[in-house]
Amino acid sequence: MDKLTMISGSLFLTADIFAIVSLARPDWIVTEVGGETRMGLMWSCMTLYKRDQVCYTPDLQPEWLLALVCIFVGCICITTTIILLATSRWDRNVVPYARWVGFTAMVLFCLAAVIFPMGFHVDEIGGQPYQLPNSHQVGISYILFVGALWITVISELFAGKVCLPHF
């Protein structure tokens, strides 16, 4: 396994971890109006007037449900890419497949990044698609996801270099 393959695999692993952590945390959209509200794709949590925090599974709007599916399938693609890059040590013929599966993950993450802000119109937020009101902010989970997206793009660039013919 050459250095570019190892770098690509390490970056894909980092992107996968970032994406999984972003899904697990309820910090996609946060606000402190009337208490603290943290909205996520899998969990949402509220703390009203210094009471105990209450977390629940949100009833997602179609836009956020589609973004969740894209991210989840993208994570599966990245994990598959990591496995394929690891097996390329014994069989170099799997590297092109790793590249295409990684590319698919990148496209899915890009779709999720475009689709997610369309859901800012939900009643809990009260914004417009792509316009978050001033009372709400994107949280650390969304930032981690965008980081995962960029790391996936960079990983794919390294994987593309690995797939070039060597003269």
Side-chain angles (χ1 to χ4, degrees):
M1 184 181 303
D2 62 356
K3 289 180 184 177
L4 291 177
T5 305
M6 290 180 60
I7 291 170
S8 179
S10 299
L11 288 171
F12 273 121
L13 179 63
T14 303
D16 206 15
I17 291 169
F18 277 20
I20 291 169
V21 169
S22 76
L23 283 178
R25 297 187 47 85
D27 297 316
W28 282 71
I29 304 292
V30 295
T31 184
E32 293 184 3
V33 175
E36 182 185 26
T37 303
R38 300 174 4 214
M39 291 176 261
L41 296 177
M42 296 182 68
W43 298 102
S44 290
C45 296
M46 295 176 137
T47 306
L48 300 174
Y49 304 110
K50 310 276 185 193
R51 294 181 187 158
D52 291 336
Q53 183 178 37
V54 176
C55 293
Y56 57 94
T57 304
D59 187 23
L60 296 176
Q61 297 293 323
E63 298 91 350
W64 285 8
L65 184 61
L66 184 57
L68 174 64
V69 169
C70 286
I71 296 168
F72 186 74
V73 175
C75 287
I76 292 171
C77 288
I78 289 178
T79 303
T80 305
T81 301
I82 294 167
I83 293 168
L84 288 171
L85 287 175
T87 59
S88 72
R89 180 175 186 185
W90 297 281
D91 184 8
R92 291 291 297 168
N93 295 328
V94 300
V95 173
Y97 300 110
R99 181 175 173 236
W100 282 107
V101 175
F103 179 76
T104 303
M106 182 183 71
V107 169
L108 287 168
F109 279 5
C110 287
L111 279 173
V114 170
I115 293 169
F116 177 76
M118 293 171 80
F120 290 168
H121 67 84
V122 297
D123 293 336
E124 295 88 358
I125 296 175
Q128 298 292 324
Y130 299 105
Q131 293 180 346
L132 198 59
N134 292 336
S135 57
H136 291 70
Q137 302 169 346
V138 294
I140 190 69
S141 293
Y142 185 73
I143 294 167
L144 280 172
F145 168 67
V146 172
L149 168 62
W150 281 106
I151 293 170
T152 303
V153 171
I154 293 167
S155 303
E156 187 62 25
L157 291 174
F158 275 101
K161 282 287 198 185
V162 170
C163 294
L164 291 176
H166 296 283
F167 296 106

